[in-house]
Amino acid sequence: MGYKSFDEINEKIKSGKAVVVTADEIVDIVEEKGIQKAAKEIDVVTTATFGPMCSSGMFINFGHSDPPIRMGKVWLNDVPAYAGIAAVDAYIGATELSEKRGMEYGGAHVIEDLISGKDIKLYAESYGTDCYPLKEITTYINKENINQAFMFNPRNAYQNYNAATNTSEKILYTYMGTLLPQMGNVTYSTAGQLSPLLNDPCYRTIGIGTRIFLGGAQGYVAWEGTQHNPGQSRGENGVPLASAGTLALIGDIKQMDKRFIRAAVYEKYGISMFVGIGIPIPVLDEEILKYTAIRDSEIFTNIYDYSVPKRSKPVIKRVSYAELRSGSVEINGKIIPTAPMSSLKKAREIAELLKQQIKTGEFLLTQPVSNIPGENRTCTLDIRGEVK
Amino acid sequence: MKKIKVSLIYPAGDVGKPITYHLVRDFNLVINILHADINLNKMGKLILDIEGEEEDIENGLKYVEEQGIKYKLFTKTIIWQEDDCIHCGACTAVCPSHALSMDKTDWSLTFDKEKCLVCELCVKSCPLNVMCVNIF
């Protein structure tokens, strides 16, 4: 074990000699050459995902006006932002809805528009203080005239996720898309064998401080993500059988590209944001490589019945991602069509782009400053008032 | 040559008539059945692409009407704004005719207009709003 270090791999990257492949390509390479040989030859495996991730948003600092204002309430293009921090700092969440346009425009659209270079209307109110006398401001901002705009996403890159179906008689509108009655379809949302945390299931190389591709910019893993649940049950190959680990990610909005950050509207559900993430995995030893070579047929998830609006939804069936990708699954003798919710085409584009960036020395790897937890428990929330 | 998309509504008990056969033989029309929901003694629906000379199509539809079958021309089409599409696949979950499907080699969305029933389910299910209705 352990025959390459981060430093050695980075030296190879700098001299343009690093061998980099995507997590799709590694599957065939390992099949042809075997783990041992492949682990020696390959330095980095790139992973990626491009899916809707609601737990995303942006911190922004507007700069000070004259006279100055201590912003108490902030709206960006009529979408409320959280301003309960310092005078001209705010955070806008991806799922926040416009107060004027409702579900057709929200926080994710503000972020996408800012990345695109568009002007955004800023309106803020304040109670006025001795040092910040201004009580109201209306102006326009864009990515050139603000101090900082960085994405901080509390929960991204879910390691595995539910598949969804609907056994009820009525159509359901969910964050897993439109679910047709009587199990008319099954939807799933993952990049499967290309997905970052499914390629490093025990968080050996992805940790706090890992440099990543985020929305077209170079970003970082900031922390474990919210609801990080490494204790999820796992298969013999170490891969979680349901949603498990998550990552909190950070990156500079000003360097991002609209091709990799897109606002999304789910009918009668609300707004989300497609986030393009690429994470390189250094092949430090054979075990790490073995994990990256796990394929869709060896990764499983549960199909849940989303017509039961409870915290624990009934499991209809356990299936592999190879089955889901085939276009249909069999449930109780019935063939049910399947459909993806996250874009594998775009995920592949990101994995390929990151591969090129590493090959050309534009992107260097970082060793985690600290690992993310490998064990914990997740809490639930008791209702102590009336259930409404 | 002209091409139209039309839905035929069969009243209950009228499914015995070989309408498509007559449209082909007597009116020289090229018929493509896109969707069929025909049941004995129940109301039925047939969605067809009809291709032929303008006059033949006109006469064919007149014949359909004479048989007591109502028809409705499709006056809308679905436009896919491909440049803005991220190929997530959400629309394929609801498309009843598989006009929208994923290409299993590169996982891009494909849209076969011929198969489209203009049910508009994709318009609402697209999270990026790239499917829209074109009225002509």
Side-chain angles (χ1 to χ4, degrees):
Chain A
M1 300 297 271
Y3 41 78
K4 272 185 233 169
S5 69
F6 275 87
D7 286 344
E8 281 163 9
I9 292 174
N10 273 338
E11 284 312 311
K12 281 179 118 178
I13 294 172
K14 283 181 203 161
S15 60
K17 287 180 185 153
V19 181
V20 190
V21 300
T22 71
D24 269 339
E25 291 164 337
I26 194 71
V27 172
D28 291 338
I29 294 170
V30 165
E31 188 153 304
E32 191 197 322
K33 299 187 171 180
I35 299 267
Q36 220 174 1
K37 202 167 170 220
K40 281 209 178 80
E41 285 178 20
I42 289 155
D43 299 307
V44 184
V45 176
T46 60
T47 68
T49 183
F50 188 76
M53 304 184 201
C54 292
S55 196
S56 303
M58 164 177 73
F59 278 103
I60 192 163
N61 178 285
F62 303 110
H64 289 281
S65 57
D66 191 21
I69 179 168
R70 192 240 155 288
M71 297 177 184
K73 286 185 172 170
V74 167
W75 289 260
L76 293 167
N77 282 352
D78 304 314
V79 181
Y82 180 74
I85 32 181
V88 290
D89 283 339
Y91 181 83
I92 185 159
T95 67
E96 190 71 53
L97 305 183
S98 159
E99 287 184 352
K100 296 216 170 124
R101 296 167 66 188
M103 246 183 226
E104 78 180 52
Y105 190 92
H109 298 87
V110 172
I111 294 169
E112 187 188 304
D113 283 347
L114 192 76
I115 290 171
S116 311
K118 289 185 188 164
D119 280 340
I120 311 277
K121 189 177 108 187
L122 162 65
Y123 173 73
E125 289 173 358
S126 172
Y127 44 76
T129 73
D130 287 347
C131 47
Y132 293 106
L134 199 64
K135 288 187 173 168
E136 216 182 292
I137 186 169
T138 301
T139 187
Y140 286 84
I141 59 149
N142 59 51
K143 65 178 174 183
E144 304 303 329
N145 68 10
I146 49 175
N147 286 322
Q148 285 80 21
F150 54 87
M151 193 171 275
F152 185 88
N153 302 343
R155 181 167 71 257
N156 278 178
Y158 235 126
Q159 184 181 30
N160 211 343
Y161 207 75
N162 303 343
T165 194
N166 167 19
T167 62
S168 80
E169 297 300 315
K170 60 174 204 226
I171 195 162
L172 292 181
Y173 299 94
T174 75
Y175 64 87
M176 290 298 287
T178 307
L179 300 173
L180 302 173
Q182 298 175 346
M183 290 202 287
N185 56 6
V186 166
T187 61
Y188 60 98
S189 187
T190 183
Q193 66 185 27
L194 192 59
S195 182
L197 288 179
L198 288 173
N199 280 285
D200 184 12
C202 303
Y203 329 115
R204 284 201 52 205
T205 71
I206 301 174
I208 297 167
T210 297
R211 184 178 292 130
I212 61 167
F213 173 107
L214 181 61
Q218 290 189 7
Y220 296 88
V221 174
W223 206 250
E224 64 182 269
T226 54
Q227 289 176 35
H228 177 62
N229 181 23
Q232 183 61 262
S233 57
R234 290 169 186 255
E236 278 176 20
N237 58 8
V239 176
L241 298 165
S243 54
T246 69
L247 298 173
L249 305 179
I250 192 163
D252 186 1
I253 289 264
K254 293 187 183 188
Q255 307 295 325
M256 289 187 189
D257 183 334
K258 188 192 157 176
R259 285 185 298 155
F260 306 111
I261 295 288
R262 296 297 297 277
V265 179
Y266 288 94
E267 171 80 359
K268 293 184 184 162
Y269 171 77
I271 291 169
S272 188
M273 190 165 80
F274 276 83
V275 181
I277 299 164
I279 304 187
I281 295 179
V283 182
L284 304 177
D285 57 41
E286 286 171 18
E287 187 192 61
I288 288 170
L289 183 97
K290 203 171 106 189
Y291 284 136
T292 65
I294 289 172
R295 56 181 75 208
D296 280 342
S297 59
E298 299 161 311
I299 308 170
F300 295 87
T301 191
N302 292 320
I303 301 172
Y304 287 91
D305 184 358
Y306 270 60
S307 69
V308 178
K310 305 274 281 181
R311 184 170 63 209
S312 296
K313 301 182 197 310
V315 175
I316 302 285
K317 195 180 181 182
R318 174 167 290 167
V319 286
S320 75
Y321 282 115
E323 285 173 271
L324 289 167
R325 288 259 170 235
S326 76
S328 64
V329 290
E330 190 241 292
I331 300 174
N332 303 333
K334 200 178 155 197
I335 304 293
I336 320 279
T338 58
M341 291 290 120
S342 85
S343 173
L344 184 57
K345 184 188 169 82
K346 294 285 285 187
R348 282 181 176 171
E349 188 185 326
I350 292 166
E352 190 60 38
L353 193 61
L354 181 58
K355 178 174 118 181
Q356 296 310 325
Q357 288 175 353
I358 296 169
K359 275 185 162 180
T360 55
E362 252 178 87
F363 191 110
L364 292 173
L365 310 194
T366 55
Q367 184 160 6
V369 179
S370 182
N371 291 325
I372 56 172
E375 282 174 33
N376 77 332
R377 66 183 189 94
T378 49
C379 303
T380 53
L381 186 64
D382 291 337
I383 303 173
R384 298 193 183 173
E386 197 186 333
V387 178
K388 285 184 189 167
Chain B
M1 292 285 270
K2 193 182 164 188
K3 195 172 180 180
I4 60 157
K5 191 175 281 185
V6 64
S7 69
L8 309 187
I9 311 294
Y10 286 66
D14 252 4
V15 295
K17 290 174 184 165
I19 298 289
T20 47
Y21 164 78
H22 285 289
L23 288 176
V24 175
R25 198 195 66 174
D26 305 343
F27 300 95
N28 202 27
L29 297 171
V30 180
I31 304 290
N32 186 18
I33 299 172
L34 300 174
H35 176 83
D37 180 18
I38 304 290
N39 306 287
L40 197 62
N41 296 326
K42 265 171 84 181
M43 223 172 95
K45 189 175 173 186
L46 198 60
I47 299 178
L48 305 173
D49 259 343
I50 300 178
E51 200 175 349
E53 295 300 332
E54 194 156 353
E55 204 187 333
D56 290 336
I57 292 176
E58 225 168 84
N59 290 333
L61 289 176
K62 208 183 281 173
Y63 161 78
V64 166
E65 233 172 1
E66 283 164 9
Q67 304 309 306
I69 292 165
K70 289 201 176 75
Y71 71 85
K72 219 173 97 193
L73 283 174
F74 279 77
T75 54
K76 296 189 274 190
T77 54
I78 295 293
I79 304 284
W80 172 36
Q81 291 157 300
E82 192 176 349
D83 289 348
D84 240 12
C85 179
I86 56 165
H87 306 267
C88 64
C91 57
T92 66
V94 294
C95 181
S97 64
H98 302 290
L100 290 158
S101 62
M102 301 308 286
D103 180 325
K104 295 275 166 58
T105 52
D106 70 351
W107 289 90
S108 56
L109 181 70
T110 58
F111 180 37
D112 184 348
K113 274 194 170 180
E114 302 283 308
K115 287 189 189 167
C116 179
L117 306 176
V118 202
C119 69
E120 300 180 29
L121 280 173
C122 57
V123 176
K124 287 185 167 179
S125 74
C126 173
L128 276 91
N129 216 5
V130 302
M131 310 301 296
C132 56
V133 185
N134 180 35
I135 300 165
F136 52 84

